[in-house]
Amino acid sequence: MLAAAGAAVMLVQQAPAAQTHPAAFRDVASSRGLDFVHVNGASDDKYFPEIMGSGGLFLDFDNDGWLDVFLVDGGSFADPAVARRARHRLYRNRGNGSFEDVAATSGIRHGAYGMGACAGDADNDGLIDLYVTSVGPNQFYRNAGGGRFSEVPKAGGADGNAWSTSCAFVDIDRDGYLDLFVTNYVDAPAANNRFCGVTGPPPIRDYCHPLIYPPLTSALYRNTGHGTFEDISASSGVAKYRGNGLGVAVSDVDEDGWPDVFVANDTMPNFLFHNERNRTFTETADLAGVAVSSDGKPKAGMGTAFGDFAGTGHAGLIVTNHETEMHSLFTSLGGGLFSDVTLRRGIGPVTRPFVGFGVAFLDYDNDTRPDIAIANGHVMANAAQLRAGAKYAQRNLLLRNTGDRFVDMGDAAGPGFAPELVSRGLATGDIDNDGDLDLLITNNGAAANLLLNEAGAAGNALVVRTIGEKSNRSGIGARLTATVGARRQLREVQSGSSYLGQNDLRVHFGLGQATRVDRLEIRWPSGATETVENLAANQVVTLREGKGVIGGVPFVR
Amino acid sequence: MRTRLATLVLLLLTALPSAAAAQKEAFFDALLPLYRSLAGAYGDEGARLAGQIETMARALATWDASTRDAERELRAQLRGADPQTALQAHTVLASMYLDRGRFQDALRELDEDLRIDPKRAPFHRLRGLTLLALDRPREAAGAFRAAWQADPADPQNAYHLVVHGSGATAPPEVARALETLLDLERALVRGERQRADAPFLDLRPIRDEAAGAIAFAPAEYAPAFALLLNGQLEAGLTALRQAASGDSLAADPALRSDPAVRGIAALRQGQVAQALGQLEAALTLAPRSTQARRILATAYWVNGDITQSLEQLRDAVRLDPRDERAWLALSRELDDLGERTAAADELRKAVTALPESGELRWQLSTISGKRQQTDQADLELIAAADRLVVLAGSGDLHGRIAALAQAHLNYDRAVALLQRRVALTPNSASAHETLGRAYMDQGREDEGCAELVVALWLDPSRAETLTAIGRLHLAAGRIAAAVETLTRATALAPSNATAVHALGEALLRAGRMTEGRSRLEEAERLQTQATQLQRRQRTAGMLTLEAELHRGKGEHDAAIEAWQQVLALEGQSAAAHMRLAEVLVAVTRLDDAAAQLVMAIAANGGAEAHRRLALVYAAMGRVAESARERRLYTDVRLKELAGS
């Protein structure tokens, strides 16, 4: 049992019911230096990838304790001049929540039409590496330090060459090295671009439905520990299953100590790859109750995230879907089983009008209950011509967790949630280290948003950074359970998640009025467990496997 | 409405109510021939309108006289009557007044009934329904609650308490009422209780059943029919007379000219060539007559002279933009020809000229749906649904507009429309089931449960209803009930993927892992089949589009190949065969074109397929076959005309 350095032992009162604070998210992208505008290459030929957008993520690539931003750019299939304009962007946080574009000197280059990215310390050198997915060969960048990334040829064996979408670093065999899971979408080569839409006259062309194209398999790459990856898609069993993969989220759903992988498939049943502990996986989504919604039908699964929204200590699951379908919320019943609670938790009616992509659980107001943020935006540019009243641009959603339901914050979410956009990626992270979670949102063919949370700081919180020793250096896969009084909150250090992106790897606990965490239990990916007691709130603590708390930096408030 | 109150009283006092009921039937039975005449299919119906209205007036007069006689008799019996006799008299009077649409009077009699016997639940319930008919929902809720308090075991009372809850309804009462309904559900699933045969009273004067058809009131007659449907029969008759007097079908002298009379008679007898000659002559005598043009257009249409038919109809609506019959004929012909864009364009103009026409609005929405596009007019239709006057099929119409509202993400409006559908067709299992599912989608579980159980009560063999209820049990954690209900659902519909999947989930949650896995595997197999079907359909749609584009660019070979791929995916599709035939004609592959049209006919391509085949045979010099197909075409059109 380890005591927090410098903290007196105190008995912690059970946190009273946390007060709800109105949200006040404000877009500060341009004022903070994030001048990225996504190039989607939208054309009259309606190439399918043009509607998918690209992703973004938070990462601390220079280990200065301040979150940096990586944004993926698309490209063009129709116009080479437009394609040449596309550039992935790396923004370094100056240490005050403002950013400078360091892409030009980073060594990161734009390759094929960019889709998503994920980050993790793949070589355990203490520096976070980057994997970028594309419609074509993917890229793996090793962080060389000093703000430089070096591209590993053929992505170290993980280049693939399909339409890749979301990815996640995950140590599937608990050998201390981060492996890589990549999901792929459909086989829709540009040379075989079909004409979809309505006949008219005049004919109205629009983007095709994914069922027009053949589905693809996901890929699993095992980290050899020598800077390369071995493709074990076939031997692992993952390649037996074809789907229209868009979102990836990782969690130990049956709590057996081994990470499982969920794939959100578009218009096909989702996959839940259960880790059999021997570098093989069994697809169990149907048995687990997350393959389809409660009406037994697959939906347009796009973004996805695991999170303990019910405060039970078990991770539930959310999947964003198409308009009229409702985004799906599943609560964990324990033992790897889930139940669809979309309607009972109020998610259903409020999400029905929206086409949802990026999604995350976040306790925006630090009241201990994880809320939900969703990036929405239609996929049919001609939606209004095809359905009177339909909207291409849609507002994003902030849903507050009241304990038994989720409620749309609407205008109370703040001006950052007011505009109607064609949003895609969404990532959470604390860019100004003030203890509340901010949001990065990518928009298709438009500027990205950086939504600064200006209200969450009213509540107390704790942010935890993990450093593995026997486990992977990033601590990805670690399960942290914070106990405050009778209340327990589970968080997992997760790569991937949402849509085409990744959240800050540091985990965030909203504590409400509590000033301490009674007990923080950590189960490391290696299987080792530790407990830290009496952690003071309102700081970013760093935990090193086997050493406990090695540092704490107060929030900037 | 049959006098169902007969089941509530111990005996009827006299035969007078039966006479009144018979006169009521006579009144509404006279409505049907009037309605058919108003369609004006042949053009000679106008002369009958006045007579048909007077038949209704005579029936009403006799009905009212019967009612007055019955009132006198019953009131006489009330003087000094014992409570039982008084109860029966008031009940019969209430029944007569309800039949006659005199809801306020009926309410008075029901109040007298309840003064005598305040514990009689059916009276409270009937009072509630009467108050709903008077648009007094809050008082109705109170009446339904009183009915439930008098007899909580009656499922009808439980249902009304849940769905017509008042501010005074306490949550524990709702919970008890739901228990009653769940007991009923359990009994139905186990076969311990039989289906109910139309248990809900319907206070509308006309049954809404129309076997799938929707009988819109013509625009000029809509106010009159609205009055009739609302029970304001005298006012309705007055309005009918007024509308008929201004109706060109009755007033246009062109239809009474000798050539017109002879032409119409020939058309009725199927002598089309003769009809054409006479009707052309009639038009020459009255070139500004829209009715003459419309009937001539009909004759051209029956004869397969499409261009001439369309020309006459376009002229008719130009002469009189408020001629609803001409607009409807024009849009139907264009739709039948597959020219849906043109049909939509004409209907938009029609709706602008005649915004009060429900049928024109409905046709525009239907055409838009066939084009896989929606129109701004859809939103107007959704908003205007409550104002549409429909003689029969109103429940069905409300259901279909509700589906349109859902497609436009207006779920509150959809629920309101489905509630109306249930009110119009209270004994329709489908209506209750659809509303139940809509409630469930809105998270309104109690009301959803009530509607679904009633749907099951009306038809225990509906697998969809059982599936919805089973899922409700599952969501509520009533696992054993979920297993039982879903087992019954899958027994009735083993290929219903939703039911099989839900049963699988329920079995797993019940700890029956092996059975659960087996069901889930089966559900997955069914769902895979469904996905494959969707793939085929979407791919066929995409290929159809490509085919049309190729054709538009004159790329006939590519168009032919695309249509052939469509047919390979879709199998029998009359529309695809006909479109392929068109392209084959364009490249003078007439033998192949004929073969495609023969297949179109086999796939129920209708009269148009015969007409096109006749043209192809004519181009091939196969005169006899061409004539045969033309005759077949005309025969089909004449049958359609006779049935319209």
Side-chain angles (χ1 to χ4, degrees):
Chain A
M1 300 238 304
L2 301 167
V9 174
M10 287 175 62
L11 284 175
V12 177
Q13 303 284 334
Q14 177 174 358
Q19 293 184 11
T20 301
H21 302 283
F25 283 92
R26 184 168 59 88
D27 184 11
V28 298
S30 60
S31 63
R32 296 291 179 107
L34 244 65
D35 58 355
F36 172 83
V37 177
H38 178 248
V39 174
N40 70 345
S43 67
D44 291 340
D45 295 321
K46 308 289 186 201
Y47 291 99
F48 202 176
E50 293 169 6
I51 56 169
M52 305 309 287
S54 303
L57 55 83
F58 287 118
L59 75 170
D60 182 5
F61 74 84
D62 52 5
N63 281 342
D64 64 355
W66 293 88
L67 279 185
D68 312 303
V69 170
F70 178 71
L71 287 159
V72 180
D73 209 353
S76 172
F77 295 94
D79 188 341
V82 172
R84 283 192 292 275
R85 286 208 319 259
R87 271 197 311 134
H88 303 321
R89 306 286 277 281
L90 182 66
Y91 292 92
R92 190 183 79 83
N93 191 326
R94 290 192 178 92
N96 57 4
S98 72
F99 298 84
E100 66 173 316
D101 181 354
V102 297
T105 54
S106 68
I108 295 172
R109 65 168 188 92
H110 183 269
Y113 194 106
M115 293 297 299
C118 50
D121 187 352
D123 51 7
N124 289 335
D125 66 351
L127 295 168
I128 198 161
D129 309 303
L130 193 60
Y131 184 82
V132 182
T133 62
S134 305
V135 185
N138 300 326
Q139 297 163 304
F140 175 53
Y141 289 94
R142 192 183 153 268
N143 189 338
R148 297 272 318 162
F149 286 81
S150 61
E151 184 174 355
V152 178
K154 294 191 176 301
D159 55 342
N161 191 19
W163 183 348
S164 300
T165 50
S166 293
C167 59
F169 282 100
V170 50
D171 186 0
I172 59 133
D173 49 8
R174 287 172 39 164
D175 66 353
Y177 285 95
L178 284 173
D179 311 299
L180 185 59
F181 188 97
V182 183
T183 195
N184 297 309
Y185 191 38
V186 295
D187 184 10
N192 188 28
N193 192 33
R194 310 309 298 258
F195 192 114
C196 298
V198 296
T199 325
I204 301 174
R205 188 170 194 175
D206 214 311
Y207 295 95
C208 291
H209 192 278
L211 286 182
I212 297 288
Y213 298 104
L216 293 172
T217 61
S218 296
L220 179 61
Y221 302 101
R222 187 184 76 84
N223 189 332
T224 63
H226 305 296
T228 58
F229 294 95
E230 175 196 358
D231 187 346
I232 61 168
S233 308
S235 62
S236 67
V238 161
K240 273 169 56 178
Y241 301 92
R242 289 185 176 271
N244 302 336
L246 283 179
V248 170
V250 178
S251 177
D252 178 9
V253 300
D254 56 350
E255 295 159 16
D256 64 355
W258 295 76
D260 311 298
V261 181
F262 177 83
V263 176
N265 283 315
D266 188 357
T267 329
M268 292 180 67
N270 303 315
F271 296 145
L272 178 62
F273 291 109
H274 177 258
N275 193 330
E276 300 300 335
R277 312 184 184 189
N278 57 359
R279 296 183 184 153
T280 70
F281 288 80
T282 304
E283 202 290 295
T284 62
D286 237 347
L287 284 176
V290 293
V292 294
S293 62
S294 64
D295 62 4
K297 294 180 181 147
K299 296 194 173 166
M302 268 88 83
T304 184
F306 281 103
D308 179 18
F309 65 85
T312 56
H314 305 294
L317 177 69
I318 188 166
V319 184
T320 54
N321 297 311
H322 210 276
E323 66 179 5
T324 77
E325 292 182 336
M326 305 183 281
H327 304 338
S328 301
L329 186 68
F330 301 94
T331 194
S332 170
L333 300 174
L337 293 182
F338 294 82
S339 173
D340 187 333
V341 293
T342 301
L343 288 171
R344 292 202 142 199
R345 288 275 180 168
I347 294 282
V350 75
T351 59
R352 198 180 262 127
F354 298 100
V355 181
F357 283 86
V359 61
F361 290 104
L362 74 161
D363 183 1
Y364 80 87
D365 53 359
N366 288 337
D367 69 350
T368 78
R369 291 188 289 259
D371 313 293
I372 295 171
I374 304 174
N376 295 310
H378 216 295
V379 291
M380 289 165 68
N382 293 313
Q385 283 183 273
L386 296 171
R387 180 170 67 76
K391 281 184 174 183
Y392 184 46
Q394 301 179 340
R395 68 180 174 96
N396 298 322
L397 289 172
L398 181 65
L399 307 179
R400 182 172 68 82
N401 188 343
T402 67
D404 56 359
R405 294 180 70 78
F406 286 88
V407 173
D408 181 7
M409 291 294 288
D411 289 341
F417 276 88
E420 291 182 332
L421 304 159
V422 187
S423 296
R424 295 291 184 257
L426 182 146
T428 64
D430 186 358
I431 63 163
D432 50 2
N433 286 334
D434 64 350
D436 58 32
L437 287 171
D438 312 299
L439 292 167
L440 174 69
I441 295 178
T442 66
N443 299 301
N444 193 27
N449 302 125
L450 185 63
L451 301 192
L452 190 68
N453 185 348
E454 296 183 312
N460 297 325
L462 178 72
V463 172
V464 182
R465 179 185 170 215
T466 53
I467 300 175
E469 284 286 343
K470 198 166 167 219
S471 305
N472 69 83
R473 199 69 177 271
S474 300
I476 289 172
R479 280 171 72 93
L480 291 81
T481 306
T483 303
V484 178
R487 193 175 173 84
R488 288 160 64 86
Q489 298 183 49
L490 167 73
R491 302 286 185 271
E492 292 175 290
V493 180
Q494 298 169 332
S495 169
S497 188
S498 187
Y499 173 73
L500 302 182
Q502 180 170 306
N503 304 316
D504 178 5
L505 285 175
R506 302 176 301 181
V507 297
H508 170 274
F509 294 93
L511 302 177
Q513 301 306 304
T515 57
R516 298 194 161 275
V517 169
D518 298 344
R519 188 165 63 254
L520 181 69
E521 297 160 77
I522 311 101
R523 196 193 69 205
W524 294 94
S526 63
T529 58
E530 293 179 55
T531 302
V532 176
E533 292 194 343
N534 294 320
L535 270 172
N538 299 332
Q539 59 170 330
V540 180
V541 297
T542 302
L543 295 179
R544 185 182 281 273
E545 185 177 5
K547 301 276 193 297
V549 175
I550 62 166
V553 177
F555 290 155
V556 177
R557 284 186 168 182
Chain B
M1 181 180 90
R2 295 276 174 259
T3 312
R4 292 189 186 87
L5 282 176
T7 64
L8 303 174
V9 300
L10 297 175
L11 55 91
L12 289 174
L13 297 175
T14 68
L16 282 172
S18 296
Q23 290 306 322
K24 178 199 173 187
E25 282 199 34
F27 176 84
F28 285 106
D29 284 349
L31 188 55
L32 181 59
L34 171 69
Y35 180 74
R36 294 193 66 171
S37 295
L38 292 178
Y42 290 96
D44 59 356
E45 298 87 348
R48 299 184 218 144
L49 295 180
Q52 286 165 336
I53 293 170
E54 290 320 307
T55 300
M56 292 172 66
R58 282 194 298 276
L60 181 61
T62 309
W63 181 8
D64 282 345
S66 296
T67 302
R68 281 193 298 274
D69 289 344
E71 276 178 304
R72 255 195 315 276
E73 185 97 10
L74 290 164
R75 296 239 176 263
Q77 288 172 9
L78 277 171
R79 284 192 284 273
D82 60 77
Q84 189 64 19
T85 305
L87 195 71
Q88 290 162 354
H90 285 300
T91 302
V92 175
L93 282 165
S95 168
M96 282 187 343
Y97 292 142
L98 286 173
D99 266 358
R100 186 59 180 81
R102 288 165 59 177
F103 297 120
Q104 203 58 54
D105 292 333
L107 204 60
R108 186 189 61 234
E109 300 305 325
L110 288 169
D111 285 343
E112 287 300 323
D113 274 329
L114 285 166
R115 199 178 51 75
I116 298 167
D117 185 357
K119 286 198 177 15
R120 190 77 69 105
F123 289 146
H124 285 290
R125 190 163 70 234
L126 188 54
R127 189 166 178 278
L129 291 171
T130 307
L131 285 163
L132 281 180
L134 285 166
D135 198 20
R136 290 155 63 174
R138 290 171 77 167
E139 292 168 78
F144 289 128
R145 183 162 175 260
W148 178 78
Q149 286 169 330
D151 183 4
D154 186 330
Q156 279 200 59
N157 296 335
Y159 166 75
H160 284 298
L161 181 85
V162 175
V163 302
H164 297 292
S166 72
T169 308
E173 292 177 333
V174 172
R176 278 181 58 201
L178 286 170
E179 279 303 320
T180 301
L181 291 170
L182 289 176
D183 287 342
L184 169 64
E185 184 254 336
R186 191 163 37 244
L188 289 164
V189 168
R190 292 177 182 174
E192 292 163 3
R193 189 144 174 182
Q194 299 303 309
R195 68 187 290 171
D197 182 19
F200 293 94
L201 283 171
D202 183 356
L203 299 186
R204 277 168 56 91
I206 304 175
R207 286 275 178 90
D208 193 56
E209 297 142 17
I214 298 172
F216 284 94
E220 299 294 342
Y221 289 83
F225 282 119
L227 289 166
L228 292 177
L229 289 169
N230 201 32
Q232 296 167 265
L233 303 182
E234 293 92 347
L237 283 172
T238 303
L240 274 178
R241 290 188 190 98
Q242 197 170 357
S245 69
D247 188 348
S248 58
L249 183 67
D252 189 343
L255 292 174
R256 294 192 292 274
S257 71
D258 285 341
V261 169
R262 283 196 291 270
I264 290 169
L267 191 59
R268 278 192 181 274
Q269 287 157 24
Q271 294 162 358
V272 183
Q274 189 181 340
L276 272 171
Q278 294 294 328
L279 291 169
E280 281 167 353
L283 182 62
T284 305
L285 293 175
R288 295 197 62 77
S289 165
T290 62
Q291 292 300 324
R293 286 188 186 276
R294 183 176 66 84
I295 302 307
L296 177 58
T298 300
Y300 278 135
W301 178 249
V302 170
N303 200 44
D305 300 321
I306 306 304
T307 307
Q308 294 93 316
S309 180
L310 290 173
E311 187 185 326
Q312 291 301 330
L313 288 171
R314 287 196 166 107
D315 283 343
V317 297
R318 248 198 308 274
L319 283 168
D320 182 4
R322 288 190 59 81
D323 188 335
E324 185 185 29
R325 297 182 185 97
W327 282 116
L328 286 170
L330 178 57
S331 67
R332 272 191 219 116
E333 288 190 11
L334 288 167
D335 184 21
D336 203 85
L337 293 166
E339 293 179 32
R340 292 188 179 131
T341 301
D345 288 343
E346 296 296 346
L347 283 165
R348 263 185 232 107
K349 287 187 240 169
V351 168
T352 303
L354 261 173
E356 67 272 30
S357 168
E359 187 156 14
L360 286 171
R361 286 186 182 279
W362 177 245
Q363 290 304 326
L364 178 55
S365 175
T366 306
I367 291 276
S368 299
K370 288 181 188 176
R371 296 173 68 217
Q372 298 173 346
Q373 290 177 251
T374 67
D375 202 277
Q376 185 60 33
D378 282 349
L379 300 178
E380 293 167 17
L381 178 68
I382 292 165
D386 303 318
R387 298 194 299 275
L388 300 175
V389 181
V390 174
L391 269 70
S394 187
D396 188 29
L397 179 65
H398 275 76
R400 288 159 76 173
I401 298 178
L404 205 55
Q406 285 169 331
H408 284 275
L409 309 178
N410 190 344
Y411 296 97
D412 289 340
R413 181 65 176 144
V415 165
L417 289 165
L418 291 171
Q419 287 170 336
R420 182 82 188 118
R421 181 185 175 195
V422 164
L424 290 163
T425 53
N427 292 302
S428 162
S430 168
H432 286 279
E433 179 195 295
T434 309
L435 177 56
R437 291 218 300 266
Y439 278 141
M440 297 302 298
D441 278 352
Q442 295 290 84
R444 291 164 70 170
E445 273 190 24
D446 291 347
E447 291 149 295
C449 178
E451 293 295 345
L452 288 170
V453 172
V454 162
L456 193 68
W457 192 24
L458 293 166
D459 185 356
S461 67
R462 288 180 74 88
E464 292 286 350
T465 307
L466 287 159
T467 302
I469 295 174
R471 286 174 56 208
L472 187 63
H473 285 314
L474 193 55
R478 295 187 294 263
I479 307 302
V483 170
E484 191 170 8
T485 303
L486 290 164
T487 299
R488 176 93 185 112
T490 55
L492 288 166
S495 302
N496 183 322
T498 302
V500 174
H501 183 269
L503 177 57
E505 243 191 271
L507 287 166
L508 285 183
R509 297 264 293 272
R512 292 160 65 175
M513 306 304 283
T514 307
E515 292 165 270
R517 279 175 209 264
S518 170
R519 290 290 185 171
L520 287 176
E521 282 164 13
E522 173 64 10
E524 194 180 337
R525 193 185 63 75
L526 290 167
Q527 190 51 60
T528 301
Q529 281 176 355
T531 302
Q532 282 165 354
L533 177 61
Q534 273 190 61
R535 270 191 204 282
R536 278 202 305 277
Q537 287 169 342
R538 288 194 178 271
T539 304
M542 182 263 302
L543 287 167
T544 298
L545 187 54
E546 285 192 353
E548 295 293 353
L549 285 169
H550 284 308
R551 192 188 165 190
K553 291 183 204 168
E555 295 163 359
H556 294 121
D557 288 344
I560 288 167
E561 191 184 329
W563 279 120
Q564 286 170 337
Q565 287 180 52
V566 170
L567 284 163
L569 283 168
E570 284 195 331
Q572 286 279 63
S573 161
H577 283 299
M578 284 164 69
R579 295 303 275 178
L580 176 53
E582 272 179 36
V583 186
L584 289 166
V585 166
V587 296
T588 58
R589 285 169 56 179
L590 297 180
D591 278 317
D592 292 335
Q596 289 300 320
L597 288 167
V598 167
M599 284 190 265
I601 289 165
N604 298 318
E608 180 59 15
H610 287 290
R611 187 184 72 84
R612 294 185 190 198
L613 184 53
L615 290 170
V616 170
Y617 280 146
M620 292 166 74
R622 288 160 70 169
V623 174
E625 287 153 298
S626 177
R628 180 197 69 215
E629 291 304 320
R630 250 192 114 95
R631 266 198 308 279
L632 285 167
Y633 167 85
T634 298
D635 286 344
V636 173
R637 290 299 187 207
L638 283 170
K639 281 199 186 87
E640 287 169 359
L641 189 60
S644 62

